Amino acid sequence: KNQKAVEFYEIISKLLFVPSTPTLLHSGLKRAQLSSCYLTFIDDDLTHIFKCMGDNAQMSKWSGGVANDWTSLRATGALVKSIDIPSQGTIPFMKVANDTTAAINRSGSRRGAVVGYMESWHYDFEEFLDLRRNTGDDRRRTHDMNTAAWIPDLFMKRVQANEHWTLFSTEETPELHELYGKAFEKKYVEYEQLAQAGHIRLFKTIAAKSLWRKHLTRLFETGHPWPTFKDACNVRSPQDHAGVVHSSNLCTEITLNTSREETAVCNLGSINLGQFVENKILNETLLERTVDVAMRMLDNVIDINFYPTKEGQTSNFRHRPVGLGLMGLQDALYKFDVAFSSQQALEISDKLTESVAHAAILASSKLAKERGTYSSYKGSKWDRNILPMDTIELLEKERGLPVTRFGKITKDWSIVRDHIKKYGMRNSNTMAVAPTATISNISGCFPCIEPIYKNLYVKSNFGGDFTVANSYLIEDLKKIGMWNEQVRDQLKYYDGSLQMISGIPKHLKEKYKTSFELDPMWMVAMTASRGK
């Protein structure tokens, strides 16, 4: 035990791996709530709705980020049979969830945070899009709660084909929330036919493109609701045998199945990629060793954790998901002397992610050899010899559309497959790219897999205001004798951008492009290459 503690200390003290904020905040306390994320399923039942509000408060109190799935609730105007009156719908309950979480200060260190998810076929979806607006009836706004849309592929197909889309109330179309892919499409079309024949009471037909345009407009205005994609998350889930993924989490890095009996929980920590690059060479041996130790730490969290709710403990012990993430990709690319917008950056990003994935999955299988498989392993994709990169083909079949491939597979995955076949897996899920907004500050690196925001800016938190300057840029300018007061003042004047400063070499302007100067389609391609 002490030897492992020393190994843990080694990788954290050198900032090779840093556990997530709740783990750092609560380790060693009497109630060590070390998990980052909680995902709940809210049923269409008044008792359960308010039970979940109480759960939200408890999970927020102990510093968890909370996600609520609201799709099961009947819509505004739907009949409540027991008292024979129309329902008030989802919005008033979401307002209560908003105010509940806003009242909680997470461990005295930051405000409570919650996100509400809703599927884009729900009758209340149009009003859901408006929840974060600063205009309209304030009683039907949630200014402190994040929102996210859970979008089936069929909706995007209808947008592309410029066809209509139908909104339903869940109590009349109960199967839709539990289905995905082809099965969802078939049932959805059946319900549309029933609606047209007059057998469904509450529905609304609109142009899919106008709803999508409204969604994008709200996203531009308020940053909400962010779009997340139901079918890809479910088709690619390793736990497709154990239930449906109804939402992602607060920061959208994990996709775990939830139900009335199970609140999904995830334990996070991130590898600091920049620490493994020296003299433009990746230290792959150190990276593999670090991942190995990190996976053991994350697996330990599940057993020693304090769980605010019974449903969270049930789910975490049953599936044992962990999320090993990445941060400092921009640092690694700077150390490789590569511009974020280059083909070389895509190849490096792809290779780094594959190295972490290979090591993480193998590490979980090694833990299974030592400690046994997680209890719902039988029947999982792991058990069926389907690894994450194999699931792109499944998604292609389910969609009936080609999926463009980015990057390539370079490692020998037969080692991992053979080990899993023999010993199984300790964890249902192994990786999750979290935003690392706090732990990247602690590590002194750039957040997660993001490019630099600006080369010079000021950020604020509970500790005050901090000036952030790009040390890599300063070093490069010093090497060519161009770091001086004049350049510094011009960098301030141009709000952290190099592009308008004369005399700066072209390759440095390319290397130090900021996030808003990069082609967003290129960012998507890099994300897709890692997403394998």
Side-chain angles (χ1 to χ4, degrees), residues 123-136:
Y123 192 81
D124 285 346
F125 186 72
E126 286 185 286
E127 203 169 353
F128 174 80
L129 293 176
D130 290 337
L131 282 173
R132 288 294 295 255
R133 297 192 85 191
N134 289 321
T135 55

PDB file of all heavy atoms in Angstrom, residues 123-136:
ATOM      1  N   TYR A 123     -42.243  17.956 -26.791  1.00  0.00           N
ATOM      2  CA  TYR A 123     -43.192  19.025 -27.080  1.00  0.00           C
ATOM      3  C   TYR A 123     -42.761  20.366 -26.464  1.00  0.00           C
ATOM      4  O   TYR A 123     -43.073  21.433 -26.999  1.00  0.00           O
ATOM      5  CB  TYR A 123     -44.574  18.621 -26.552  1.00  0.00           C
ATOM      6  CG  TYR A 123     -45.715  19.495 -27.022  1.00  0.00           C
ATOM      7  CD1 TYR A 123     -46.274  19.310 -28.284  1.00  0.00           C
ATOM      8  CD2 TYR A 123     -46.234  20.498 -26.204  1.00  0.00           C
ATOM      9  CE1 TYR A 123     -47.325  20.106 -28.723  1.00  0.00           C
ATOM     10  CE2 TYR A 123     -47.283  21.298 -26.634  1.00  0.00           C
ATOM     11  CZ  TYR A 123     -47.822  21.098 -27.894  1.00  0.00           C
ATOM     12  OH  TYR A 123     -48.860  21.890 -28.320  1.00  0.00           O
ATOM     13  N   ASP A 124     -42.029  20.326 -25.336  1.00  0.00           N
ATOM     14  CA  ASP A 124     -41.567  21.552 -24.672  1.00  0.00           C
ATOM     15  C   ASP A 124     -40.199  22.028 -25.186  1.00  0.00           C
ATOM     16  O   ASP A 124     -39.626  22.980 -24.637  1.00  0.00           O
ATOM     17  CB  ASP A 124     -41.457  21.325 -23.152  1.00  0.00           C
ATOM     18  CG  ASP A 124     -42.813  21.300 -22.472  1.00  0.00           C
ATOM     19  OD1 ASP A 124     -43.800  21.713 -23.105  1.00  0.00           O
ATOM     20  OD2 ASP A 124     -42.883  20.859 -21.310  1.00  0.00           O
ATOM     21  N   PHE A 125     -39.685  21.372 -26.231  1.00  0.00           N
ATOM     22  CA  PHE A 125     -38.299  21.649 -26.650  1.00  0.00           C
ATOM     23  C   PHE A 125     -38.095  23.098 -27.091  1.00  0.00           C
ATOM     24  O   PHE A 125     -37.057  23.703 -26.804  1.00  0.00           O
ATOM     25  CB  PHE A 125     -37.881  20.692 -27.776  1.00  0.00           C
ATOM     26  CG  PHE A 125     -36.435  20.810 -28.152  1.00  0.00           C
ATOM     27  CD1 PHE A 125     -35.440  20.339 -27.308  1.00  0.00           C
ATOM     28  CD2 PHE A 125     -36.048  21.401 -29.355  1.00  0.00           C
ATOM     29  CE1 PHE A 125     -34.090  20.445 -27.650  1.00  0.00           C
ATOM     30  CE2 PHE A 125     -34.710  21.512 -29.712  1.00  0.00           C
ATOM     31  CZ  PHE A 125     -33.734  21.030 -28.853  1.00  0.00           C
ATOM     32  N   GLU A 126     -39.069  23.674 -27.774  1.00  0.00           N
ATOM     33  CA  GLU A 126     -38.914  25.068 -28.226  1.00  0.00           C
ATOM     34  C   GLU A 126     -38.757  26.021 -27.051  1.00  0.00           C
ATOM     35  O   GLU A 126     -37.950  26.950 -27.086  1.00  0.00           O
ATOM     36  CB  GLU A 126     -40.108  25.476 -29.089  1.00  0.00           C
ATOM     37  CG  GLU A 126     -40.086  24.860 -30.475  1.00  0.00           C
ATOM     38  CD  GLU A 126     -41.223  25.373 -31.334  1.00  0.00           C
ATOM     39  OE1 GLU A 126     -42.379  24.965 -31.098  1.00  0.00           O
ATOM     40  OE2 GLU A 126     -40.958  26.179 -32.235  1.00  0.00           O
ATOM     41  N   GLU A 127     -39.537  25.781 -25.985  1.00  0.00           N
ATOM     42  CA  GLU A 127     -39.413  26.633 -24.800  1.00  0.00           C
ATOM     43  C   GLU A 127     -38.112  26.326 -24.052  1.00  0.00           C
ATOM     44  O   GLU A 127     -37.500  27.213 -23.456  1.00  0.00           O
ATOM     45  CB  GLU A 127     -40.625  26.441 -23.875  1.00  0.00           C
ATOM     46  CG  GLU A 127     -40.838  27.633 -22.988  1.00  0.00           C
ATOM     47  CD  GLU A 127     -42.150  27.629 -22.241  1.00  0.00           C
ATOM     48  OE1 GLU A 127     -43.006  26.751 -22.478  1.00  0.00           O
ATOM     49  OE2 GLU A 127     -42.319  28.525 -21.394  1.00  0.00           O
ATOM     50  N   PHE A 128     -37.691  25.068 -24.103  1.00  0.00           N
ATOM     51  CA  PHE A 128     -36.417  24.652 -23.517  1.00  0.00           C
ATOM     52  C   PHE A 128     -35.251  25.440 -24.142  1.00  0.00           C
ATOM     53  O   PHE A 128     -34.309  25.821 -23.446  1.00  0.00           O
ATOM     54  CB  PHE A 128     -36.251  23.144 -23.751  1.00  0.00           C
ATOM     55  CG  PHE A 128     -34.928  22.567 -23.328  1.00  0.00           C
ATOM     56  CD1 PHE A 128     -34.670  22.274 -22.000  1.00  0.00           C
ATOM     57  CD2 PHE A 128     -33.943  22.299 -24.274  1.00  0.00           C
ATOM     58  CE1 PHE A 128     -33.454  21.720 -21.614  1.00  0.00           C
ATOM     59  CE2 PHE A 128     -32.722  21.747 -23.895  1.00  0.00           C
ATOM     60  CZ  PHE A 128     -32.482  21.458 -22.559  1.00  0.00           C
ATOM     61  N   LEU A 129     -35.334  25.706 -25.450  1.00  0.00           N
ATOM     62  CA  LEU A 129     -34.289  26.470 -26.134  1.00  0.00           C
ATOM     63  C   LEU A 129     -34.135  27.877 -25.558  1.00  0.00           C
ATOM     64  O   LEU A 129     -33.059  28.473 -25.621  1.00  0.00           O
ATOM     65  CB  LEU A 129     -34.595  26.574 -27.634  1.00  0.00           C
ATOM     66  CG  LEU A 129     -34.551  25.290 -28.469  1.00  0.00           C
ATOM     67  CD1 LEU A 129     -34.989  25.585 -29.900  1.00  0.00           C
ATOM     68  CD2 LEU A 129     -33.161  24.680 -28.466  1.00  0.00           C
ATOM     69  N   ASP A 130     -35.231  28.407 -24.991  1.00  0.00           N
ATOM     70  CA  ASP A 130     -35.234  29.796 -24.504  1.00  0.00           C
ATOM     71  C   ASP A 130     -34.830  29.945 -23.042  1.00  0.00           C
ATOM     72  O   ASP A 130     -34.789  31.066 -22.531  1.00  0.00           O
ATOM     73  CB  ASP A 130     -36.638  30.403 -24.673  1.00  0.00           C
ATOM     74  CG  ASP A 130     -36.989  30.642 -26.135  1.00  0.00           C
ATOM     75  OD1 ASP A 130     -36.060  30.761 -26.947  1.00  0.00           O
ATOM     76  OD2 ASP A 130     -38.195  30.710 -26.448  1.00  0.00           O
ATOM     77  N   LEU A 131     -34.530  28.845 -22.361  1.00  0.00           N
ATOM     78  CA  LEU A 131     -34.341  28.900 -20.910  1.00  0.00           C
ATOM     79  C   LEU A 131     -33.266  29.876 -20.448  1.00  0.00           C
ATOM     80  O   LEU A 131     -33.371  30.451 -19.366  1.00  0.00           O
ATOM     81  CB  LEU A 131     -34.017  27.500 -20.362  1.00  0.00           C
ATOM     82  CG  LEU A 131     -35.208  26.555 -20.208  1.00  0.00           C
ATOM     83  CD1 LEU A 131     -34.738  25.162 -19.817  1.00  0.00           C
ATOM     84  CD2 LEU A 131     -36.203  27.082 -19.179  1.00  0.00           C
ATOM     85  N   ARG A 132     -32.233  30.089 -21.253  1.00  0.00           N
ATOM     86  CA  ARG A 132     -31.139  30.956 -20.811  1.00  0.00           C
ATOM     87  C   ARG A 132     -31.245  32.389 -21.353  1.00  0.00           C
ATOM     88  O   ARG A 132     -30.345  33.199 -21.152  1.00  0.00           O
ATOM     89  CB  ARG A 132     -29.793  30.349 -21.225  1.00  0.00           C
ATOM     90  CG  ARG A 132     -29.388  29.123 -20.423  1.00  0.00           C
ATOM     91  CD  ARG A 132     -29.121  29.456 -18.964  1.00  0.00           C
ATOM     92  NE  ARG A 132     -27.994  30.337 -18.789  1.00  0.00           N
ATOM     93  CZ  ARG A 132     -26.798  29.962 -18.339  1.00  0.00           C
ATOM     94  NH1 ARG A 132     -26.578  28.707 -18.019  1.00  0.00           N
ATOM     95  NH2 ARG A 132     -25.832  30.827 -18.195  1.00  0.00           N
ATOM     96  N   ARG A 133     -32.327  32.712 -22.031  1.00  0.00           N
ATOM     97  CA  ARG A 133     -32.458  34.068 -22.585  1.00  0.00           C
ATOM     98  C   ARG A 133     -32.681  35.104 -21.481  1.00  0.00           C
ATOM     99  O   ARG A 133     -33.232  34.801 -20.424  1.00  0.00           O
ATOM    100  CB  ARG A 133     -33.630  34.134 -23.569  1.00  0.00           C
ATOM    101  CG  ARG A 133     -33.457  33.242 -24.775  1.00  0.00           C
ATOM    102  CD  ARG A 133     -34.474  33.560 -25.844  1.00  0.00           C
ATOM    103  NE  ARG A 133     -34.027  34.650 -26.696  1.00  0.00           N
ATOM    104  CZ  ARG A 133     -34.795  35.281 -27.579  1.00  0.00           C
ATOM    105  NH1 ARG A 133     -36.059  34.927 -27.719  1.00  0.00           N
ATOM    106  NH2 ARG A 133     -34.310  36.252 -28.325  1.00  0.00           N
ATOM    107  N   ASN A 134     -32.261  36.313 -21.759  1.00  0.00           N
ATOM    108  CA  ASN A 134     -32.424  37.398 -20.783  1.00  0.00           C
ATOM    109  C   ASN A 134     -33.716  38.175 -20.985  1.00  0.00           C
ATOM    110  O   ASN A 134     -33.984  39.141 -20.277  1.00  0.00           O
ATOM    111  CB  ASN A 134     -31.226  38.350 -20.863  1.00  0.00           C
ATOM    112  CG  ASN A 134     -29.973  37.715 -20.317  1.00  0.00           C
ATOM    113  OD1 ASN A 134     -30.029  37.001 -19.325  1.00  0.00           O
ATOM    114  ND2 ASN A 134     -28.856  37.926 -20.977  1.00  0.00           N
ATOM    115  N   THR A 135     -34.513  37.761 -21.980  1.00  0.00           N
ATOM    116  CA  THR A 135     -35.812  38.405 -22.208  1.00  0.00           C
ATOM    117  C   THR A 135     -36.918  37.383 -21.962  1.00  0.00           C
ATOM    118  O   THR A 135     -36.663  36.196 -21.870  1.00  0.00           O
ATOM    119  CB  THR A 135     -35.909  38.919 -23.657  1.00  0.00           C
ATOM    120  OG1 THR A 135     -35.660  37.826 -24.552  1.00  0.00           O
ATOM    121  CG2 THR A 135     -34.898  40.016 -23.917  1.00  0.00           C
ATOM    122  N   GLY A 136     -38.162  37.875 -21.875  1.00  0.00           N
ATOM    123  CA  GLY A 136     -39.293  36.977 -21.654  1.00  0.00           C
ATOM    124  C   GLY A 136     -39.621  36.841 -20.171  1.00  0.00           C
ATOM    125  O   GLY A 136     -39.031  37.511 -19.319  1.00  0.00           O
TER     126      GLY A 136
END
